[in-house]
Amino acid sequence: WRAFEIMAEFVGATERLKSITPAVSIFGSARTPVDHPYYKLTEEVARLLSESGFSVISGGGPGLMEAANKGAYPGPSPSVGLNIELPHEQSRNPYQDISQNFQHFFMRKVMFVKYANAYVVMPGGFGTLEEIIEIVTWGQLQFHDKPCGFLNVDGYFDHLLAYLDHAQAEHFLKPENRQMLLCDDKATGLLLKFEQYTAPKIEKWAR
């Protein structure tokens, strides 16, 4: 029966979300308070995206997910929340034009990838990193050609970016694959890099 549940969740979400493109998914911490500068910056990013004609997709919960929905909510493009049902974790934030509930993490992630034209990464922890690393890995495997970018406010991602540069120097990442992860310390700069992005053409992802 679990397989049928997953199939039904896929069909229902696909039908509900098919009209939201073009869209951008925003990932970030669920723990960031409303008065934090990261919250305000996430609102700004979402507002810019909405005003540029992009629906904004978040995980639908609190923290920076809420900030993403809140920034997009007054704008002309839909604010979308992909909510996950967890026993002790997130609750749905109120700034969603379209709210889609999920019981299965994988199906939720499929929708993050399927309907977004790009992915913005705000400060966060394990969950944020897990989401973007898997998405950029799918890009490395050429399952998609969409840009992924860190908004590196106050140098938050400096150590992670240094690790990726080290991985490239040690030949665990090809330069072309390393360049798939964009970065800027300003929202407008990151969105401009998205506009100019061309996915690398690599015949084989591994040597």
Side-chain angles (χ1 to χ4, degrees), residues 29-181:
S29 173
R31 296 179 173 88
T32 308
V34 175
D35 58 352
H36 197 288
Y38 294 164
Y39 189 103
K40 301 299 182 184
L41 183 60
T42 305
E43 279 191 83
E44 177 192 345
V45 174
R47 178 182 56 77
L48 288 172
L49 288 167
S50 181
E51 291 175 353
S52 298
F54 291 92
S55 300
V56 172
I57 305 171
S58 89
L64 299 188
M65 293 181 283
E66 177 182 285
N69 289 131
K70 187 177 180 181
Y73 194 62
S77 305
S79 172
V80 182
L82 305 185
N83 305 282
I84 187 72
E85 297 178 11
L86 297 174
H88 305 294
E89 283 291 335
Q90 74 179 60
S91 58
R92 174 187 178 276
N93 74 66
Y95 304 105
Q96 302 175 36
D97 298 303
I98 299 173
S99 179
Q100 182 68 30
N101 294 324
F102 294 87
Q103 292 181 313
H104 304 94
F105 266 103
F106 175 74
M107 194 52 57
R108 178 177 180 247
K109 185 175 293 183
V110 167
M111 297 303 154
F112 270 124
V113 178
K114 178 178 176 64
Y115 288 104
N117 299 83
Y119 312 95
V120 173
V121 190
M122 302 300 296
F126 282 148
T128 300
L129 290 177
E130 185 274 334
E131 286 168 326
I132 194 58
I133 293 301
E134 182 163 6
I135 288 172
V136 77
T137 300
W138 292 0
Q140 177 179 269
L141 296 172
Q142 300 184 27
F143 294 156
H144 71 79
D145 58 359
K146 304 169 186 178
C148 306
F150 293 107
L151 190 52
N152 192 27
V153 55
D154 296 332
Y156 183 85
F157 291 109
D158 282 354
H159 295 292
L160 176 61
L161 297 169
Y163 159 76
L164 295 173
D165 291 337
H166 181 63
Q168 178 184 322
E170 292 289 327
H171 305 290
F172 294 117
L173 281 177
K174 289 186 175 182
E176 299 91 337
N177 293 138
R178 170 64 185 87
Q179 293 165 14
M180 292 168 58
L181 274 171

